Amino acid sequence: MNSTQQKKLLEAFIEIIRKTSTELPKDVIESVRKGHGAEDKGSRGDYALGIIQKNIDLAKLKSQPLCQDTGSILFYIHYPKKLEHDAVAKVIRKAVVAATKKGYLRQNSVDSITGKNSGTNVGPGSPTLHLEPWSKDVFEVRLMLKGGGCENVGVQYSLPDGRIGAGRDLAGVKKCILDAVYQAQGKGCGPGILGVTIGGDRATGYLTSKEQFLRKLGDRNPDPVLAKLEDECLVEANQLGIGPMGFGGKTTLLGVKVGVLNRLPASFFVSVSYMCWAFRRQGATVTSKGEIKKWLY
Amino acid sequence: MIELTAPLNEEKVRSLKVGDMVELSGIVYTGRDAVHKWLHEGNTPPMSFKDGVIYHCGPVVLKKGAKWVVTAAGPTTSIREEPYQAGIIERLGVRAVIGKGGMGEKTRQACQKFGCVYLHAIGGAAQVLAEAIKEVEDVFGYEQFGSPEAIWQLRVEKFPAVVTIDAHGNSLHKDMEAASSAKLAELYTQIKK
């Protein structure tokens, strides 16, 4: 990678971070708007979603972080295989440091032993880079910023679960999903979106549950069994009445996305990740020279 | 909409009820995980929290020239401070706690006993809430706690929030949990194998 290419790529990555932190993707904005329409006028849910919509507009206008918790920085990237992995990783880390200085990202990476904040968002585990080489001569970059409030209400069940009476079948899975929404109450900044994995191990379960968030809210799961489960869980979770921010109301969730992995005979995990309404997800194709060609969401 | 001005007094705080929508003006102090642990350990902040407002918030603050400017400042999840909050309300005479997601039984009881309310701000609404912050007056513990965890003394105007725990023993969170628990049990009985 020559220095011009490095410079252009750095600029492209900073722009992707800026846009992710300050502008919600269209599918999420549309879903929030619909949720707002469903709440009774003058209710607390209506009030919360009114402020939320105002905030979405204001963040874009001011080009400032939609939410002050700019969260875990999760990159999912395909890069041209002729480039070196380490060189690509280095540019991204540089972009994260620069975006933090510019205030698009909060100083959000803390040493777990000493409690010291790196101040740059770079440190062990931050940013999280899923980097895969491919044969195309372009980058496909996806970025999610996932705040701590919603991350903390994620939960993993190991079936059978006696507490909620969930066995190793789809009925059991559904109980887990509804229980996760109930346990979260308003703490995850609802209305939320669930990413769920049935199966896998403890690590791949959570990993795949987060990858569900890369799907657009309006998409249809190609697996009819999972599509049905997603639809039913969304309708039933919204009957819990928890509502925006836990204030009560009709819109508790905006979406449920479920993936599936094989499991060991001994294990049956259901991993649930919760995403807040401030669902910061963007993506772009970027040429190997560092030009942003197209936004993905 | 009820207008509040901080510092608050007990009479005003006790006049508030769960569900009231308020707009707060005056001084608030940010404090989150590190500060609550530190206060719980018996430390006292250099500024008085008597009749004051604690805001569970880790803002994005940038230095522009000689001045600090808050560019994003929504609430953080309050329940993490549940082990500490009641003791801090009692010892330091706090009259209002702003946060999101609600708090538990100990805090509800402390609000009732000592005359304090929990004001629920809209989580994630960092820009709308930053607009209500007019000035950074001071900061304490910037080095010790790091920027998001420091105590920022902020002057706010018409900061919007909803009373979800009042000083009469009521909690919207407790009510909502009970109602959704009953609904969950009902949904469970309808799930077919």
Side-chain angles (χ1 to χ4, degrees):
Chain A
M1 223 187 279
N2 63 45
S3 66
T4 318
Q5 195 183 4
Q6 270 180 35
K7 192 168 162 276
K8 290 291 289 178
L9 269 176
L10 178 67
E11 282 169 14
F13 277 109
I14 294 171
E15 175 56 14
I16 291 168
I17 296 169
R18 184 201 66 79
K19 196 170 164 79
T20 311
S21 176
T22 63
E23 299 179 20
L24 285 189
K26 290 186 206 84
D27 59 309
V28 178
I29 293 175
E30 179 55 25
S31 185
V32 168
R33 198 188 57 74
K34 269 191 193 159
H36 191 189
E39 296 299 334
D40 297 333
K41 291 285 155 277
S43 65
R44 289 185 296 261
D46 174 42
Y47 165 85
L49 283 165
I51 290 182
I52 284 168
Q53 286 204 287
K54 202 169 143 195
N55 192 70
I56 293 169
D57 294 341
L58 198 58
K60 183 173 178 177
L61 187 74
K62 296 179 85 174
S63 188
Q64 288 181 353
L66 189 87
C67 173
Q68 78 290 338
D69 186 357
T70 55
S72 299
I73 304 161
L74 310 169
F75 276 104
Y76 301 83
I77 297 174
H78 290 287
Y79 66 95
K81 64 181 177 189
K82 66 181 180 191
L83 297 176
E84 276 180 44
H85 174 282
D86 290 2
V88 175
K90 197 173 159 187
V91 172
I92 298 166
R93 289 199 186 94
K94 259 185 150 169
V96 165
V97 174
T100 308
K101 252 189 205 142
K102 286 172 184 280
Y104 302 140
L105 299 174
R106 185 175 69 181
Q107 298 174 12
N108 233 11
S109 180
V110 177
D111 185 305
S112 297
I113 305 299
T114 65
K116 194 162 169 52
N117 193 314
S118 78
T120 62
N121 272 312
V122 172
S126 177
T128 300
L129 306 179
H130 301 280
L131 281 171
E132 280 187 39
W134 67 356
S135 52
K136 295 185 193 173
D137 194 33
V138 293
F139 289 84
E140 193 175 87
V141 182
R142 286 182 164 81
L143 171 62
M144 263 192 307
L145 300 174
K146 189 172 187 301
C150 68
E151 183 65 6
N152 286 351
V153 298
V155 58
Q156 192 165 55
Y157 299 84
S158 176
L159 301 188
D161 184 314
R163 181 181 66 83
I164 58 170
R168 290 182 160 195
D169 50 28
L170 279 179
V173 170
K174 198 188 238 187
K175 283 187 174 176
C176 295
I177 292 172
L178 293 175
D179 181 67
V181 179
Y182 164 71
Q183 297 292 341
Q185 291 289 311
K187 297 179 192 70
C189 281
I193 299 93
L194 298 189
V196 180
T197 308
I198 306 169
D201 64 22
R202 289 195 184 272
T204 59
Y206 270 135
L207 191 69
T208 303
S209 74
K210 288 211 173 74
E211 285 170 5
Q212 301 308 309
F213 296 133
L214 298 175
R215 293 168 51 192
K216 284 187 187 169
L217 281 178
D219 78 351
R220 186 88 190 144
N221 198 315
D223 180 330
V225 174
L226 298 182
K228 183 165 174 272
L229 182 66
E230 289 176 356
D231 290 349
E232 288 175 1
C233 285
L234 179 59
V235 169
E236 289 171 26
N238 282 335
Q239 289 172 7
L240 290 172
I242 295 165
M245 288 295 135
F247 285 177
K250 298 187 179 77
T251 317
T252 300
L253 290 186
L254 299 175
V256 179
K257 302 287 172 194
V258 184
V260 64
L261 295 172
N262 280 8
R263 58 181 177 83
L264 295 178
S267 303
F268 196 128
F269 295 112
V270 178
S271 308
V272 183
S273 286
Y274 190 108
M275 177 63 89
C276 56
W277 70 262
F279 186 172
R280 287 149 293 168
R281 173 229 308 131
Q282 291 287 353
T285 49
V286 180
T287 67
S288 57
K289 290 198 177 75
E291 305 276 355
I292 293 176
K293 269 180 69 182
K294 191 186 150 200
W295 292 100
L296 299 176
Y297 294 104
Chain B
M1 196 64 70
I2 298 170
E3 302 282 337
L4 296 177
T5 306
L8 298 156
N9 62 55
E10 181 165 3
E11 190 192 350
K12 184 75 190 174
V13 165
R14 291 216 182 260
S15 75
L16 297 169
K17 295 182 299 297
V18 159
D20 285 345
M21 292 171 186
V22 304
E23 283 181 346
L24 175 76
S25 300
I27 303 302
V28 304
Y29 301 98
T30 68
R32 48 179 296 168
D33 308 72
V35 165
H36 279 76
K37 181 171 179 286
W38 181 78
L39 293 173
H40 179 74
E41 285 162 356
N43 297 293
T44 300
M47 47 281 264
S48 170
F49 282 8
K50 173 108 182 71
D51 295 328
V53 181
I54 292 183
Y55 180 19
H56 296 157
C57 171
V60 178
V61 192
L62 297 178
K63 197 145 205 179
K64 293 192 175 160
K67 284 184 86 172
W68 290 107
V69 179
V70 173
T71 61
T76 192
T77 310
S78 300
I79 197 69
R80 297 191 306 270
E81 318 316 338
E82 180 63 15
Y84 315 126
Q85 200 70 70
I88 292 168
I89 290 169
E90 180 180 6
R91 181 166 73 93
L92 299 178
V94 174
R95 289 283 174 219
V97 174
I98 309 173
K100 73 163 173 90
M103 301 199 73
E105 203 44 31
K106 264 176 76 178
T107 303
R108 185 188 67 78
Q109 286 171 9
C111 283
Q112 185 172 20
K113 192 165 172 195
F114 304 110
C116 181
V117 285
Y118 179 78
L119 304 176
H120 199 303
I122 304 301
Q127 288 309 320
V128 168
L129 299 176
E131 289 263 291
I133 296 171
K134 300 303 176 188
E135 199 184 354
V136 178
E137 293 195 341
D138 204 357
V139 59
F140 171 77
Y142 186 87
E143 284 301 320
Q144 184 181 354
F145 303 121
S147 177
E149 295 266 5
I151 300 176
W152 294 93
Q153 181 175 325
L154 308 173
R155 187 171 60 77
V156 303
E157 256 176 49
K158 293 185 177 294
F159 185 102
V162 178
V163 177
T164 57
I165 301 173
D166 64 23
H168 306 283
N170 303 306
S171 163
L172 177 69
H173 311 289
K174 199 178 170 189
D175 297 349
M176 200 55 65
E177 206 172 312
S180 55
S181 175
K183 187 69 201 176
L184 182 70
E186 186 191 322
L187 288 170
Y188 271 14
T189 63
Q190 294 163 10
I191 294 175
K192 292 182 194 77
K193 291 261 175 194

